[in-house]
Amino acid sequence: MFNNLKQKFMHFMQGRNGVDQLSQFLNVVVLVLLVVSIFTKSVILDWLPFVVMGYMYFRIFSRNIPKRSIENQKFCNLRYDLAIKKNNWKKEWEQRKIYRFFRCPMCHQKVRVPKGRGKICITCPKCRQEFVRRS
Ligand SMILES: [Zn+2]
């Protein structure tokens, strides 16, 4: 009986996108929104979890796998970028007593200089632009 159901489900899921990283993330979003909606009296927040849930199931059961795959890839890239940014912020925060961080006015490259040296001329390591900052 159980095996039969499982087989039917597997047959149903054939050629469909299934659960990917974006769907897993949406699942978490739904749960968070549901908890938030308990504590608020907003009509939008009452419906939003179900809208997101609908989108999540639409993606899971979608037969347009190439398109869903591109969406998932974009999501993974974004998550990766955010993880790197978070890591950089963490590093800057840990080094905040020894270094100061500036952005090059030309190419926006981030540069790190030792703190407490007064006004210094900084040469961008990427584009060689010079700019003066108080360290
Ligand atoms: Zn530069």
Side-chain angles (χ1 to χ4, degrees):
M1 168 66 183
F2 182 72
N3 261 342
N4 195 16
L5 256 174
K6 197 178 164 188
Q7 251 175 7
K8 268 186 183 165
F9 181 71
M10 275 170 73
H11 182 73
F12 173 74
M13 286 307 290
Q14 229 161 42
R16 295 176 195 265
N17 190 45
V19 178
D20 53 16
Q21 286 91 337
L22 178 53
S23 301
Q24 284 170 349
F25 172 73
L26 289 173
N27 199 18
V28 175
V29 171
V30 168
L31 287 174
V32 171
L33 285 173
L34 276 173
V35 172
V36 170
S37 72
I38 294 170
F39 297 104
T40 53
K41 286 203 160 78
S42 153
V43 181
I44 296 169
L45 275 173
D46 277 349
W47 281 99
L48 199 58
F50 299 101
V51 174
V52 178
M53 199 188 277
Y55 178 60
M56 180 183 84
Y57 280 116
F58 158 75
R59 291 196 72 263
I60 290 172
F61 299 133
S62 170
R63 288 183 189 276
N64 193 348
I65 294 173
K67 206 172 171 192
R68 300 291 89 79
S69 173
I70 290 170
E71 290 166 0
N72 190 50
Q73 195 54 53
K74 274 186 188 163
F75 167 73
C76 288
N77 291 347
L78 193 78
R79 196 171 61 172
Y80 180 74
D81 288 348
L82 281 176
I84 287 185
K85 265 192 190 149
K86 192 184 147 205
N87 208 7
N88 286 344
W89 286 330
K90 204 179 145 201
K91 266 190 202 151
E92 273 183 38
W93 180 252
E94 284 166 358
Q95 299 176 343
R96 72 192 182 283
K97 281 176 183 158
I98 326 163
Y99 295 107
R100 285 208 70 175
F101 295 86
F102 298 105
R103 279 210 184 271
C104 166
M106 278 292 278
C107 69
H108 304 289
Q109 164 75 32
K110 205 179 263 178
V111 285
R112 189 183 74 172
V113 294
K115 219 173 171 177
R117 301 269 168 94
K119 248 186 186 176
I120 50 168
C121 182
I122 302 162
T123 307
C124 171
K126 199 172 162 193
C127 71
R128 301 275 134 205
Q129 166 78 19
E130 292 187 347
F131 54 102
V132 175
R133 292 284 184 276
R134 185 171 291 280
S135 70

